Amino acid sequence: MFNAQVMVSPLQTGAARGANRSSSSTPNDKKHNKTRKRNVFEAYLSKEEVSAGLKRGELIQGPLRINPKKFHEAFLPSPDGMRDIFIDGVVSRNRALNGDLVVVRLLPREQWKVVKPEVCDGDKTSALTDTAKLTATSRHVRDGSKSPDLIIEAQFECGLEEDLHTKLSCNTDNETKETPQSVAVNKVRSITDDGLQKTAKVVYILEKKHSRAATGFIKPLTDKNGELAKKCALFSPVDHRLPRIYVPLADCPAEFVVRPQDFASTLFICHITDWRADSNFAEGKLMKSLGQAGEIEPETEGILTEYGVDFSEFPNNVLQCLPQNLPWTIPPEELKKRRDLRKECIFTIDPSTARDLDDALSCKLLPDGNFEVGVHIADVSYFVEEGNALDFIASERATSVYLVQKVIPMLPRLLCEELCSLNPMADRLTFSVIWKITPQGKILDEWFGRSVICSCVKLSYDHAQSMIENPDKLPGVEELPPVSPDHTVQEIQQAVLSLHLIAQNLRRQRFEDGALRLDQLKLSFTLDKESGMPQGCYIYKYRDSNKLVEEFMLLANMAAAHKIYHQYPELALLRRHPPPQTKLLNDLIEFCDQMGIDVNFTNSGTLHKSLNDQFGADEYSTARKEVLTNMCSRPMQMAVYFCTGMLKNEALFHHYALNVPLYTHFTSPIRRYADIIVHRLLAAAIGRGPALQLPQEAIQKQADHCNDRKTASKRVQELSAELFFSVFVKECGPLESEAIVMGVLNEAFDVLVLRYGVQKRIYCNALPLQSSHFQQVGKKPELTLVWSPEHDGEEPVHQVISIFTLLEVVLKSDNVPLKYTAVLKRPGAAN
């Protein structure tokens, strides 16, 4: 008897998360169910089966990515770099969580997802059955269009293919009756691979990368008289990608049993301990109560815990690794080993609030008209000895995590804010790279070495920007932070201006050589000093002073990469950036062609030039460029750390965005562990330190861990900004802004809110409309909104929504904590 693969449709999983998702039982099964529960999930393969399947190419491994907006959808990168593999539903995901490293088996081609309609010869209809079309029509109440893309989307949302395949596969009659369903599957079989997306199911979890921690709420079980309700409560995670969890009542507050309603808005942390194959629900342990949902500190702690960020105090065995005799001074014997740069005009340029200053700059004019430029980086590896407890915890944390209101440091504050931080008027140990360089940015000579500096001033980006914008105006002493008496303000200003001149030439040359930069809007906040609540927010401006620092950091990182790779071709820790995902890039090229947007995707350089040359100089050109930049970022892959000995093809070392063959991170060892490894390699390469103790495999393992923690840190930073903006909307809203349309769907559209840089989806059913109509105008998607008249006797107002349409929106806080909605203002409405 054929054992049909049971697939749960997205609608079922979406509507009933936590409901029984197992397939229906036969009478025989029901008898057995009295004594045993039927499995919801398939048993995992054995390690031996997985190893053999991967070797034979029958199985595929990769990181699982679950759609945060449609939790029934999950994806895995395809080994061929084409369209991601689709994993449909909770059952196919087989208890794996977001970020886990999983092994999957591809499903038969008949079960692959249709992503593009195929047009048959002599027939202008898409390759779908009448049944699919009927289903689609019933789904889109207001939409009268016959767009094939929408019909296909509706077909799969309704889980039709799953039902069709099960019926066909289970038919054991010799004569198969031709049904509308069989016609559908036969037509799916006739579609070319380009119109299909591979689907798969998880058969093994190689590594549980997800922390298994969740924030959420507790409530009693529905069946209050059942045996389970006497032992457990139900934990509902805020993140819908996680399962609901049974937690012991013993873990809950004592008052919960009597007055559960008192805890309806209390946020808890839960840790998943098990998820059995016979249950839709995981099992877990309630760790702690965080406080009221929607408040900044409880929500922040929840975010940090969910993403596995260690924010605990450093233990004593780690603190014992730090210098104990304070105030600490540089030992005389160490000074003798280093190049003494303390009399040079060296300074830092950082955000005004920065306390971990890990890079400084110097620049002086030489008699021949060239410049001596130095990049001086905190010598963290002097304090973090390889293999000790401090090194271990730094390697585990791997990165500092920057929240809106605070920093979770990688290293104890004694190091990152004092002994390693290049604070002004304090002797500090550094690792320097010094170049002899022409005004045009051509490097004539290069020196690497351990050094000691004494920064003469702590400049902010604002200070440096003011010098750049007013080169003929000498800043007054009162306009700057304290300056060392050994150096004049004029000397510092001249160094900044010289660096700016060289940086401009370096930057121009970089982009002429094919570099790419995709800038996306970044939201910054002003906080109340006493309450810590957001008082205001603004789009962070990336200015010439930022570009100045960036150019020399890039130059130093590239120089370090070449140095360590030349000396240690099998052990170097570098950073590569793979090219865009082929299929997503092809889809974007097709979209731009449909929209009439001329973008050259040949390489990173042509893409950068296209983005900067595409739009005019009117006031909305920046907004339109922002939309296109966002679209172009979607096919891009993440840059990753790697050990050179583990990749035999040197072409794979290439950094796509920078368009350079070798790159690494050297300039931020206070906040990135990868940089500490690079410093150790560099010290050994120049004969100023011991050889690295880590073998190739251990370096790669650490590189992978740094990649994971960097990804988590980036997401935590984004969630922190989202948290503060949600609170800001609640406290200071409603907020009005212009918005530009980024995407058009059949019943909704996405906008970029220009004043705040946030993206929101606006749904037609939330607006006072008579109707909405989706259509393709040529190849461009277009949504027509028909607004209901405000007064009797008035005509309905028609409004056309397409890509790049400018709109007026209002951001309003919802009743649910941390939720806010973008509402489209009626055309012609008064401000």
Side-chain angles (χ1 to χ4, degrees):
M1 177 81 181
F2 180 86
N3 183 18
Q5 165 64 28
V6 178
M7 294 171 63
V8 176
S9 78
L11 281 185
Q12 289 170 327
T13 58
R17 188 166 67 94
N20 190 347
R21 300 190 186 93
S22 57
S23 56
S24 58
S25 304
T26 64
N28 235 8
D29 291 327
K30 288 175 182 175
K31 290 178 184 176
H32 288 298
N33 281 347
K34 291 178 181 178
T35 55
R36 65 173 177 82
K37 291 177 71 175
R38 185 176 180 182
N39 278 0
V40 178
F41 304 100
E42 286 189 9
Y44 295 129
L45 298 182
S46 67
K47 288 183 180 180
E48 293 73 23
E49 289 171 319
V50 168
S51 179
L54 288 171
K55 285 179 182 176
R56 290 194 298 265
E58 297 169 357
L59 303 176
I60 298 169
Q61 75 175 60
L64 184 74
R65 188 179 78 256
I66 304 173
N67 187 339
K69 293 182 179 178
K70 296 182 180 177
F71 73 87
H72 57 269
E73 295 182 350
F75 303 89
L76 199 78
S78 181
D80 60 9
M82 299 300 281
R83 185 180 280 115
D84 285 348
I85 297 166
F86 181 58
I87 299 169
D88 185 14
V90 175
V91 171
S92 293
R93 207 152 68 223
N94 203 357
R95 295 162 285 166
L97 302 184
N98 189 58
D100 284 354
L101 189 61
V102 300
V103 177
V104 302
R105 187 191 300 280
L106 290 181
L107 296 178
R109 191 177 186 276
E110 290 77 17
Q111 295 183 43
W112 291 2
K113 180 178 179 180
V114 180
V115 291
K116 190 182 293 183
E118 290 286 323
V119 178
C120 305
D121 291 337
D123 182 7
K124 297 302 179 187
T125 60
S126 61
L128 296 173
T129 65
D130 293 335
T131 307
K133 292 178 183 176
L134 286 170
T135 309
T137 305
S138 67
R139 292 268 299 154
H140 301 297
V141 180
R142 290 188 188 153
D143 184 32
S145 80
K146 296 293 187 289
S147 165
D149 289 320
L150 296 178
I151 294 171
I152 289 172
E153 182 182 350
Q155 174 199 4
F156 282 92
E157 282 185 355
C158 292
L160 178 65
E161 188 176 78
E162 157 217 336
D163 297 332
L164 305 187
H165 179 69
T166 303
K167 289 175 183 175
L168 283 169
S169 301
C170 293
N171 191 334
T172 56
D173 295 341
N174 290 329
E175 289 183 28
T176 304
K177 191 173 182 180
E178 185 103 327
T179 64
Q181 288 88 350
S182 65
V183 173
V185 171
N186 287 332
K187 287 194 175 182
V188 167
R189 286 173 179 160
S190 71
I191 295 174
T192 63
D193 284 354
D194 190 49
L196 297 173
Q197 183 173 22
K198 294 174 182 175
T199 58
K201 62 180 180 181
V202 174
V203 296
Y204 193 75
I205 302 177
L206 274 176
E207 188 177 352
K208 293 180 178 179
K209 296 267 190 180
H210 190 280
S211 66
R212 266 53 187 177
T215 59
F217 304 92
I218 55 172
K219 59 183 178 182
L221 297 183
T222 309
D223 182 9
K224 296 179 181 178
N225 297 320
E227 286 301 310
L228 193 59
K230 296 175 184 176
K231 301 175 185 176
C232 295
L234 186 64
F235 180 90
S236 296
V238 173
D239 186 346
H240 297 299
R241 294 174 295 182
L242 298 172
R244 293 186 180 183
I245 306 161
Y246 289 136
V247 294
L249 277 177
D251 290 350
C252 302
E255 302 84 1
F256 172 73
V257 176
V258 183
R259 297 184 57 82
Q261 65 273 18
D262 291 355
F263 298 88
S265 61
T266 302
L267 205 58
F268 288 87
I269 283 280
C270 175
H271 188 268
I272 296 174
T273 56
D274 193 17
W275 192 356
R276 300 199 314 269
D278 63 359
S279 178
N280 291 292
F281 298 85
E283 297 169 18
K285 183 171 178 57
L286 212 58
M287 306 304 289
K288 67 181 291 189
S289 168
L290 294 173
Q292 286 298 298
E295 294 183 0
I296 286 174
E297 287 311 313
E299 294 284 355
T300 297
E301 185 173 341
I303 292 168
L304 293 171
T305 305
E306 277 196 35
Y307 282 85
V309 176
D310 182 359
F311 57 94
S312 62
E313 295 296 324
F314 288 93
N316 283 332
N317 67 324
V318 169
L319 299 177
Q320 289 300 313
C321 299
L322 304 175
Q324 299 299 303
N325 297 322
L326 301 176
W328 180 82
T329 55
I330 302 172
E333 60 272 19
E334 185 61 34
L335 280 174
K336 292 176 184 177
K337 300 175 186 176
R338 294 174 177 261
R339 182 167 171 176
D340 193 342
L341 302 172
R342 286 176 291 180
K343 294 189 183 305
E344 300 293 329
C345 178
I346 297 174
F347 47 86
T348 59
I349 305 175
D350 287 280
S352 57
T353 55
R355 290 189 288 181
D356 50 351
L357 314 179
D358 46 18
D359 57 87
L361 294 164
S362 61
C363 181
K364 64 180 180 183
L365 182 64
L366 298 174
D368 61 2
N370 294 312
F371 292 92
E372 182 181 272
V373 174
V375 170
H376 315 277
I377 307 300
D379 192 353
V380 177
S381 61
Y382 172 85
F383 295 95
V384 183
E385 185 181 333
E386 186 175 3
N388 69 9
L390 175 58
D391 184 44
F392 176 78
I393 200 165
S395 70
E396 282 295 300
R397 293 194 175 198
T399 180
S400 294
V401 180
Y402 291 81
L403 307 171
V404 170
Q405 78 277 37
K406 60 186 174 183
V407 179
I408 309 299
M410 181 181 79
L411 297 169
R413 295 194 186 277
L414 177 64
L415 288 187
C416 62
E417 293 182 9
E418 295 184 49
L419 303 188
C420 290
S421 185
L422 306 183
N423 298 330
M425 277 82 83
D427 292 355
R428 290 290 182 260
L429 299 177
T430 46
F431 220 127
S432 297
V433 53
I434 298 175
W435 301 281
K436 182 178 180 180
I437 192 167
T438 68
Q440 292 73 37
K442 182 181 179 182
I443 295 172
L444 304 175
D445 193 23
E446 180 179 86
W447 177 87
F448 273 103
R450 295 188 116 147
S451 54
V452 56
I453 71 164
C454 182
S455 170
C456 62
V457 66
K458 177 191 174 185
L459 296 178
S460 70
Y461 283 117
D462 289 337
H463 296 133
Q465 186 65 28
S466 179
M467 292 177 181
I468 291 167
E469 291 176 357
N470 304 284
D472 299 325
K473 177 181 175 294
L474 191 66
V477 176
E478 69 284 352
E479 297 175 57
L480 295 174
V483 176
S484 166
D486 297 331
H487 300 279
T488 65
V489 172
Q490 185 175 9
E491 185 182 6
I492 295 165
Q493 183 185 36
Q494 188 54 57
V496 169
L497 293 175
S498 297
L499 287 169
H500 173 57
L501 168 71
I502 300 167
Q504 284 181 306
N505 291 324
L506 287 170
R507 189 176 185 84
R508 185 179 63 252
Q509 189 61 52
R510 269 202 314 114
F511 289 118
E512 284 177 3
D513 290 343
L516 164 70
R517 186 178 178 92
L518 294 177
D519 280 322
Q520 299 207 39
L521 300 179
K522 179 185 174 185
L523 196 58
S524 294
F525 297 86
T526 53
L527 305 180
D528 183 274
K529 290 182 180 179
E530 292 183 3
S531 68
M533 294 288 281
Q535 287 181 316
C537 60
Y538 56 95
I539 301 295
Y540 184 81
K541 289 186 178 179
Y542 188 77
R543 300 174 295 175
D544 285 341
S545 54
N546 302 84
K547 295 172 185 176
L548 181 161
V549 174
E550 181 189 35
E551 287 308 313
F552 290 106
M553 297 306 112
L554 289 173
L555 199 63
N557 286 334
M558 288 186 278
H562 282 273
K563 193 75 173 177
I564 62 174
Y565 180 58
H566 180 263
Q567 192 69 28
Y568 300 109
E570 298 296 311
L571 292 175
L573 179 69
L574 300 185
R575 187 163 175 81
R576 65 189 182 93
H577 185 209
Q581 296 180 61
T582 308
K583 186 58 195 169
L584 289 178
L585 185 62
N586 290 340
D587 290 345
L588 179 60
I589 292 170
E590 184 179 345
F591 172 81
C592 288
D593 181 54
Q594 291 172 357
M595 293 296 298
I597 302 170
D598 184 21
V599 180
N600 187 339
F601 290 94
T602 304
N603 54 49
S604 53
T606 59
L607 176 55
H608 180 87
K609 190 173 189 303
S610 294
L611 289 174
N612 285 277
D613 293 349
Q614 181 63 227
F615 300 110
D618 64 282
E619 58 182 306
Y620 297 118
S621 62
T622 303
R624 294 199 297 273
K625 180 184 173 185
E626 197 62 45
V627 172
L628 195 55
T629 298
N630 183 274
M631 292 175 180
C632 291
S633 68
R634 292 172 190 174
M636 297 299 165
Q637 301 194 62
M638 296 283 286
V640 291
Y641 299 111
F642 71 103
C643 177
T644 50
M646 304 298 285
L647 271 183
K648 301 307 176 189
N649 184 359
E650 196 172 305
L652 296 176
F653 297 5
H654 185 261
H655 196 291
Y656 173 80
L658 295 174
N659 196 30
V660 294
L662 301 175
Y663 189 68
T664 194
H665 275 164
F666 159 72
T667 55
S668 296
I670 290 177
R671 61 184 177 91
R672 291 188 305 229
Y673 187 76
D675 300 51
I676 294 179
I677 294 179
V678 169
H679 276 228
R680 289 171 180 161
L681 286 165
L682 200 53
I686 62 174
R688 290 293 180 268
L692 197 67
Q693 296 172 22
L694 293 176
Q696 227 179 67
E697 294 75 13
I699 295 174
Q700 184 58 51
K701 187 175 180 181
Q702 183 63 53
D704 291 339
H705 181 66
C706 288
N707 292 331
D708 292 339
R709 297 320 306 159
K710 185 174 178 63
T711 301
S713 171
K714 183 174 182 291
R715 185 61 187 139
V716 166
Q717 191 171 343
E718 291 167 351
L719 289 171
S720 178
E722 288 175 19
L723 165 63
F724 272 78
F725 188 67
S726 298
V727 172
F728 179 69
V729 174
K730 181 183 176 183
E731 297 296 321
C732 304
L735 308 174
E736 296 190 2
S737 173
E738 280 190 312
I740 188 166
V741 176
M742 304 181 70
V744 180
L745 308 174
N746 57 316
E747 285 287 321
F749 51 96
D750 294 325
V751 298
L752 173 67
V753 182
L754 296 176
R755 186 175 174 188
Y756 302 106
V758 297
Q759 299 172 26
K760 293 296 286 184
R761 178 163 290 180
I762 298 176
Y763 294 91
C764 294
N765 61 11
L767 301 172
L769 305 178
Q770 280 188 353
S771 62
S772 64
H773 308 288
F774 180 92
Q775 60 181 340
Q776 300 272 50
V777 179
K779 293 183 177 180
K780 299 178 183 179
E782 189 174 279
L783 187 61
T784 301
L785 310 182
V786 183
W787 292 79
S788 301
E790 287 188 284
H791 307 288
D792 292 340
E794 291 183 350
E795 290 294 315
V797 178
H798 290 67
Q799 182 177 21
V800 177
I801 306 293
S802 59
I803 306 290
F804 299 140
T805 298
L806 281 165
L807 306 168
E808 293 283 339
V809 300
V810 180
L811 302 180
K812 296 180 178 179
S813 184
D814 295 345
N815 293 326
V816 182
L818 306 184
K819 298 291 183 184
Y820 66 93
T821 305
V823 179
L824 178 63
K825 291 179 71 173
R826 177 187 290 270
N831 289 326

